[in-house]
Amino acid sequence: MDITSDRKDDILNHTKSIENIEVVYKKKNKYSGKLARVQQTPFEITILDNNHKEETEHTVDF
């Protein structure tokens, strides 16, 4: 998954104001929830997943 520099900056600079992140992969796997962690280098985000009961956290693949 690619992310634009604008989206990356929004996530890094406005972490507290983001209420929900939704990620849909090509195979129609969908994850959504609140941000749990944001790492700048290498850029990585982890969300508290609302859709999958067996996996409460999901690290987004960039």
Side-chain angles (χ1 to χ4, degrees), residues 2-39:
D2 292 328
I3 187 167
T4 64
S5 60
D6 291 340
R7 289 286 171 230
K8 183 177 174 181
D9 290 342
D10 283 345
I11 293 170
L12 290 171
N13 296 324
H14 304 289
T15 302
K16 293 185 181 190
S17 64
I18 297 173
E19 294 181 15
N20 192 51
I21 296 249
E22 183 173 282
V23 180
V24 180
Y25 293 102
K26 288 183 181 180
K27 295 182 180 180
K28 303 205 184 212
N29 293 340
K30 182 178 173 181
Y31 298 88
S32 67
K34 293 183 179 186
L35 281 173
R37 283 185 295 282
V38 177
Q39 182 176 316

